[in-house]
Amino acid sequence: MSEAVAQLNETLLAMLQSETFVLLNTVDAESGGPTSTAISWIYAVSPSIVRLAVDHRSRLVNNMKVNPLVTITVFGEGTVHAINGRAAVRQDPLADVPFKMCCFDVEIEAVRNALFYGAHLESAPKYAKVYDARAAEKLDGQVFTAMQKA
């Protein structure tokens, strides 16, 4: 692990301004234990703020409202980054999307290289959407546009 910085570098900022997926780690509101969920509705507003949208049916919404401490795990630049911060509701519900979502801003407190010593990530994980591609593209467009306006 390397020393932490308090904001995204240019490469991470660019990566988080286009479609990617990350692991969102929260504290479970019921058990108090850690949780980890893959999400793709994430957008870097600035080097110090990351915005994300979460479906209200997800436990993540209550988790972040009860305990705002989060870690966002990003795979890229040949490594694994851990972004630590505090989530705060930006807009609830998120406007102009077809179902109830909550939009959070995460104020970045630290960005660390989380890959073990001596390792290099040869490729970032890839995913494929397995439902209607046009519907996915339309929904993603609506959500990202709403997130940018929030």
Side-chain angles (χ1 to χ4, degrees):
M1 298 239 295
S2 61
E3 284 196 38
V5 295
Q7 63 181 19
L8 302 173
N9 64 30
E10 288 181 24
T11 305
L12 275 173
L13 181 67
M15 182 185 304
L16 292 173
Q17 288 181 333
S18 60
E19 186 176 342
T20 190
F21 88 97
V22 300
L23 296 178
L24 175 61
N25 306 282
T26 64
V27 178
D28 188 82
E30 291 179 21
S31 72
T35 67
S36 185
T37 305
I39 66 167
S40 62
W41 289 326
I42 183 164
Y43 177 78
V45 176
S46 71
S48 59
I49 301 284
V50 176
R51 184 167 293 159
L52 46 97
V54 180
D55 186 325
H56 255 280
R57 295 172 288 187
S58 171
R59 294 171 60 101
L60 295 172
V61 172
N62 193 46
N63 288 354
M64 290 185 284
K65 286 181 175 181
V66 170
N67 185 333
L69 297 176
V70 300
T71 299
I72 299 166
T73 305
V74 182
F75 304 89
E77 294 190 293
T79 193
V80 178
H81 297 277
I83 301 169
N84 302 102
R86 292 183 181 272
V89 173
R90 173 71 182 193
Q91 191 176 86
D92 187 15
L94 184 60
D96 302 322
V97 294
F99 54 90
K100 194 172 178 188
M101 299 187 77
C102 188
C103 184
F104 290 88
D105 276 356
V106 176
E107 184 175 340
I108 297 171
E109 296 177 348
V111 180
R112 292 184 175 81
N113 179 344
L115 190 60
F116 54 91
Y117 178 77
H120 177 81
L121 192 64
E122 290 189 5
S123 66
K126 293 182 180 182
Y127 66 95
K129 296 175 183 170
V130 294
Y131 56 99
D132 184 330
R134 283 190 311 200
E137 188 175 319
K138 180 180 178 184
L139 178 60
D140 286 346
Q142 290 171 321
V143 172
F144 281 110
T145 298
M147 287 171 59
Q148 291 170 1
K149 290 179 183 177

